Amino acid sequence: MKKQNLVLTVGFCLLLAGMQAAFWLLPKQSFSENEKRVLQEVPSFSLSSLWSGRWFQSMDSYFSDHFAGRDFWVGLHAYANQLEGLNAAGEIYRGKDGWLLHRPVEAGDIWEQNLQTLSDFAEQHHNLTMLCIPTTGAVMTDKLPALHDRYPDQDLLAALQQSCDGMQWVDLLPVLAENKDAGVYYRTDHHWTSYGAYLGYCALARAWGLDAAAQTDYQIQTHDGFYGTAYSESGLWATAPDSIALWTDPAVQIHTTIYDQNIPAPIEQEGVFFREHLEQADQYPVFLDGNHARVTLTSDAPGGKLLVVRDSFAHCLAPFFSRHFQTVDLIDLRYFKEQTISQLIKQNQYDRVLFVFGLDTLTSDRSLQWLE
């Protein structure tokens, strides 16, 4: 064997041995700040899990999640794909000016089932309004890379409007597209910004005959260092962070109450912002403390009750309506199992029922099956 080959072989073996030793010796973390997810723990062994193959799958995830220098290797792989021209093949597009955008949604069986569920519900109830937020790529078209798949949002929104014929429809695509340069979406996240939500609030207020508050009525605080879901899924760790803005309405006093089946007593606080999350890796739960079964906003508005059946797009939207409704109930069908939505409507006699979902949720999430 040539000396050069021997050096390469020995070096490669030492590298493998060093990485193996690092895996076993270095402390394990339970949460990845870059990827914003809980990492796989050592799976418990049982004969049934071994027989079914679940134990091997969990062990594979455990080794993958705790691989020495995981963030470095994930980032290296992501940027290597960029150099190889594979941007358009990934789940996250690296767009222009530091934008990270999820690839287009696809309408499959889940989409069709959700359309039918919403249509059936609309036949049984009244005073319903649908607000569906298009994906970032369908609005921020000038930030897309040169190569990308077509965004079908306009066609899907038209199909949703037709299926929800019994609901009031508020079309947000033109409103958001017209104001896209003013910051209606985050660069590193799939959600709309507080300003985007404000535009949605104004559109809804017009549809409902309400006088929307002016933007100048709010006290706006901006916090830097926000990294969203597109960033955590991309591996493009050199991307600059976003800013996250908190809009406070000084004319309204809001009390927030959070209910979950797994907590012994409701969480209560004055105001809608949970600022402790601004110091954590995932800052988006600063809005209403993130995902919960039921969140109730009680304000000093003259009266009125609003029910919001929603995903996380409603978290920064709903507080705008506390100026007009004394009670705003937000229900997340993934976690709310106490009663059906029909029972909740009958019990509380809501003035309006609002559905707020991102288009990506309606094409991929099965939780609407619990809508009864």
Side-chain angles (χ1 to χ4, degrees):
M1 179 180 295
K2 295 181 180 180
K3 184 176 181 180
Q4 182 180 7
N5 292 341
L6 179 61
V7 172
L8 290 175
T9 302
V10 172
F12 183 69
C13 291
L14 289 175
L15 176 63
L16 291 179
M19 295 182 68
Q20 184 73 265
F23 174 82
W24 294 110
L25 296 176
L26 291 177
K28 304 296 185 289
Q29 305 208 358
S30 59
F31 183 82
S32 170
E33 292 196 0
N34 279 337
E35 297 178 77
K36 293 182 176 60
R37 66 179 182 88
V38 176
L39 300 177
Q40 174 70 48
E41 297 180 349
V42 179
S44 56
F45 178 82
S46 67
L47 290 177
S48 61
S49 65
L50 179 66
W51 181 257
S52 66
R54 293 194 309 271
W55 186 81
F56 290 106
Q57 293 174 357
S58 297
M59 282 300 297
D60 184 63
S61 298
Y62 175 72
F63 284 119
S64 175
D65 280 0
H66 298 281
F67 195 80
R70 174 181 170 81
D71 285 346
F72 168 78
W73 295 111
V74 168
L76 181 63
H77 179 261
Y79 283 102
N81 284 342
Q82 296 291 312
L83 291 174
E84 293 175 7
L86 297 177
N87 186 32
E91 293 301 315
I92 302 295
Y93 294 148
R94 186 185 188 188
K96 303 172 184 176
D97 302 324
W99 280 78
L100 301 178
L101 310 102
H102 286 80
R103 67 178 304 110
V105 297
E106 297 180 2
D109 292 341
I110 296 177
W111 167 254
E112 297 298 333
Q113 292 167 8
N114 286 339
L115 290 187
Q116 187 61 54
T117 299
L118 290 167
S119 177
D120 293 343
F121 191 83
E123 291 179 358
Q124 303 171 25
H125 299 276
H126 60 280
N127 289 337
L128 308 181
T129 302
M130 169 58 71
L131 192 73
C132 185
I133 299 90
T135 61
T136 308
V139 175
M140 306 303 301
T141 54
D142 57 326
K143 303 302 181 184
L144 290 169
L147 297 177
H148 62 84
D149 290 334
R150 174 181 174 272
Y151 283 82
D153 294 50
Q154 190 165 4
D155 296 338
L156 297 182
L157 290 172
L160 177 62
Q161 181 180 7
Q162 184 176 2
S163 295
C164 299
D165 186 53
M167 296 186 184
Q168 183 179 24
W169 176 260
V170 178
D171 191 3
L172 287 180
L173 187 56
V175 175
L176 295 174
E178 182 180 349
N179 294 275
K180 64 181 181 180
D181 294 332
V184 293
Y185 286 93
Y186 294 107
R187 287 184 301 99
T188 67
D189 193 68
H190 69 287
H191 290 104
W192 56 3
T193 61
S194 295
Y195 179 65
Y198 171 74
L199 294 177
Y201 154 67
C202 291
L204 274 168
R206 287 192 296 270
W208 289 348
L210 303 175
D211 293 326
Q215 183 175 347
T216 53
D217 290 343
Y218 295 90
Q219 297 173 353
I220 302 175
Q221 294 179 315
T222 301
H223 299 266
D224 298 327
F226 171 61
Y227 292 100
T229 55
Y231 173 84
S232 61
E233 295 172 22
S234 71
L236 301 171
W237 308 139
T239 303
D242 271 310
S243 295
I244 194 166
L246 310 183
W247 291 43
T248 301
D249 187 351
V252 182
Q253 301 298 315
I254 305 175
H255 183 84
T256 301
T257 307
I258 296 174
Y259 305 88
D260 272 317
Q261 290 182 325
N262 60 346
I263 57 176
I267 300 172
E268 300 193 49
Q269 79 161 32
E270 298 302 321
V272 297
F273 301 123
F274 289 72
R275 297 175 184 271
E276 63 271 18
H277 291 290
L278 294 174
E279 307 301 323
Q280 299 172 2
D282 186 6
Q283 296 185 13
Y284 195 75
V286 68
F287 301 110
L288 304 185
D289 198 46
N291 299 317
H292 294 280
R294 179 176 180 176
V295 178
T296 298
L297 307 181
T298 308
S299 72
D300 51 0
K305 291 184 177 181
L306 171 65
L307 174 63
V308 184
V309 183
R310 61 39 157 134
D311 65 8
S312 55
F313 275 89
H315 293 181
C316 59
L317 169 69
F320 289 111
F321 289 103
S322 288
R323 176 177 281 220
H324 309 280
F325 297 89
Q326 190 174 82
T327 300
V328 179
D329 276 334
L330 296 98
I331 299 298
D332 191 326
L333 292 171
R334 292 172 296 178
Y335 313 110
F336 186 76
K337 309 300 180 187
E338 295 179 8
Q339 57 189 142
T340 67
I341 297 300
S342 295
Q343 292 170 338
L344 192 65
I345 292 173
K346 183 177 181 180
Q347 174 183 318
N348 290 279
Q349 298 295 306
Y350 293 102
D351 297 284
R352 292 187 179 276
V353 178
L354 172 65
F355 288 84
V356 179
F357 288 98
L359 185 60
D360 56 343
T361 297
L362 294 182
T363 57
S364 63
D365 191 279
R366 297 181 182 274
S367 62
L368 272 177
Q369 66 182 309
W370 305 112
L371 182 64
E372 298 179 24

